[in-house]
Amino acid sequence: MAATRAPPAGFGELEVLAVGTVLLMEALSGISLNGLTIFSFCKTPDLRTPSNLLVLSLALADTGISLNALVAAVSSLLRRVILPIVSHRSWPHGSEGCRVHGFQGFATALASICGSAAIAWGRYHHYCTRRQLAWDTAIPLVLFVWLSSAFWASLPLMGWGHYDYEPVGTCCTLDYSRGDRNFISFLFTMVFFNFLVPLFITQTSYRFMEQKLSRSGHLQVNTTLPGRMLLLGWGPYALLYLYAAVADVSFISPKLQMVPALIAKTMPTINAINYALRSEMVCRGTWQCRSAQKSKQDRTQ
C-alpha cells in the first residue's frame, strides 16, 4: 500500500476541500452531541441505569465514528491547504496509519449498528416483559457488542479482508475494490452478522412492541424510526459492498462511491438526537448539572 498516491480521477482540489468540510461538520456535530450524552450519564447519578448504559455505549461508538471522520476531515483539509506546498501525499499518516484508521472506523461503526440493535432489544425487554433491565444483563450485552465489533474489525488486519483508502484518498476503510474471493467471503459473512442480523433484531423488537402496546394505548416509542435509520444510514454502504462483490466497482464514479461514507457519518448526530436528545437523558442531565453548579455558586457567594 503506497502512501504517496494521488487522489483518484474525478476529484479536484476544491472537491477534496468540499468533502473535508462536510466531514468536519459531521465530526464536530457528532462529537458535541454524543459528548453531551456521555457527560449527562457520568454527571447525573439518576441516569446511571442499565437501559441508559446501552445508550451510553451507542454514544461512545458514535463518538468514535465522529473522531474517525475528524481525522479524515483534517487529512482532506491539510491536503488542500498545506500538503500541496510540501508534498503530493493524499494520506499523510502512512500505510500503518491507514490500517489503524480503517480498523478504528470499522470497529466503531459495527459497535454503533449492533448498539442500536441492543437498545431495541432492551426496550422490548422493558416494555413487553414489564421487567427492568438488570445490570447483569446490560453489562454483558455491552461487552458482547464491543468485543464482537473489535473481532470483526481485526479480521482484515489478519488477512481476511483488507483496509485501504476511500475513493477521495484522504481516509481509509474496508477495501471493496478488489472483488476477489477473499473479499467476497468476508463481505457476505460480515454483512449477514453485522448488518442483516442487527437490522432483523431492531425491526422485530419494535414490531413486537407495537403489537403489544398498541392494544393498550400506551405506545410511547417510535417503533418505525430506528429501523429506518439503520437502513438509510448504513444501507448505502451495504449496497456498495454487495455491488462490488458481483460487479466491477470501477464503473461507479469515485464521487458516487464517497456518498455512502458521507451518509454513514451523519449517523452519530442522528442517533444522538433520536436516542438521547429526544429523551430525558440529556435534557434532564444537563439541567441537573447546571442547577447544581448554580447552587454551588450561590453558596460560595
Side-chain angles (χ1 to χ4, degrees):
M1 183 187 301
T4 58
R5 73 178 190 181
F11 281 98
E13 296 295 344
L14 289 178
E15 291 165 339
V16 173
L17 176 62
V19 171
T21 302
V22 172
L23 288 171
L24 182 63
M25 294 173 61
E26 292 175 332
L28 295 179
S29 175
I31 290 172
S32 59
L33 293 180
N34 286 285
L36 188 58
T37 303
I38 297 168
F39 174 81
S40 300
F41 182 90
C42 295
K43 290 293 185 179
T44 310
D46 293 345
L47 296 180
R48 297 173 197 161
T49 64
S51 296
N52 284 339
L53 179 65
L54 302 181
V55 179
L56 174 68
S57 175
L58 179 63
L60 290 171
D62 286 337
T63 300
I65 296 175
S66 297
L67 290 173
N68 185 272
L70 182 61
V71 173
V74 170
S75 299
S76 299
L77 297 176
L78 281 177
R79 186 188 188 282
R80 177 68 181 90
V81 178
I82 298 175
L83 291 182
I85 302 174
V86 298
S87 71
H88 296 285
R89 291 185 300 173
S90 299
W91 172 256
H93 309 294
S95 59
E96 289 301 319
C98 182
R99 284 190 282 269
V100 171
H101 185 253
F103 169 81
Q104 188 270 339
F106 195 38
T108 51
L110 295 181
S112 178
I113 295 171
C114 296
S116 298
I119 291 176
W121 180 85
R123 288 179 171 179
Y124 164 79
H125 182 275
H126 173 74
Y127 286 102
C128 295
T129 65
R130 298 298 181 182
R131 295 196 306 270
Q132 293 289 339
L133 189 67
W135 286 106
D136 58 1
T137 301
I139 292 176
L141 183 58
V142 169
L143 290 176
F144 173 79
V145 166
W146 282 97
L147 291 176
S148 173
S149 301
F151 167 76
W152 283 97
S154 66
L155 292 178
L157 299 177
M158 295 183 286
W160 196 22
H162 184 70
Y163 290 120
D164 206 342
Y165 301 100
E166 289 269 18
V168 76
T170 55
C171 45
C172 297
T173 188
L174 185 67
D175 183 16
Y176 52 85
S177 64
R178 300 189 175 193
D180 55 12
R181 184 176 300 177
N182 178 287
F183 165 75
I184 293 174
S185 62
F186 175 75
L187 170 72
F188 281 106
T189 308
M190 184 272 299
V191 167
F192 177 78
F193 285 105
N194 293 287
F195 181 69
L196 295 180
V197 170
L199 182 62
F200 174 79
I201 293 173
T202 301
Q203 296 280 49
T204 303
S205 297
Y206 285 112
R207 183 171 299 175
F208 285 161
M209 287 174 56
E210 184 177 12
Q211 292 174 354
K212 184 175 182 63
L213 299 179
S214 60
R215 293 193 295 267
S216 62
H218 297 295
L219 186 62
Q220 300 176 346
V221 178
N222 190 322
T223 57
T224 59
L225 183 60
R228 291 176 179 176
M229 287 165 44
L230 271 181
L231 194 59
L232 294 177
W234 298 103
Y237 244 141
L239 287 177
L240 178 62
Y241 285 167
L242 291 174
Y243 180 87
V246 299
D248 187 358
V249 76
S250 64
F251 287 108
I252 302 178
S253 69
K255 294 176 185 177
L256 190 58
Q257 291 181 43
M258 277 302 301
V259 171
L262 296 177
I263 293 175
K265 287 179 174 59
T266 64
M267 289 304 295
T269 298
I270 295 174
N271 284 340
I273 293 173
N274 183 56
Y275 291 109
L277 295 180
R278 294 181 60 188
S279 69
E280 67 172 4
M281 185 170 183
V282 168
C283 298
R284 181 181 169 192
T286 304
W287 176 258
Q288 289 187 9
C289 290
R290 291 184 63 184
S291 300
Q293 291 175 356
K294 185 176 180 180
S295 300
K296 185 177 180 179
Q297 291 175 357
D298 293 339
R299 288 195 300 268
T300 57
Q301 292 176 354

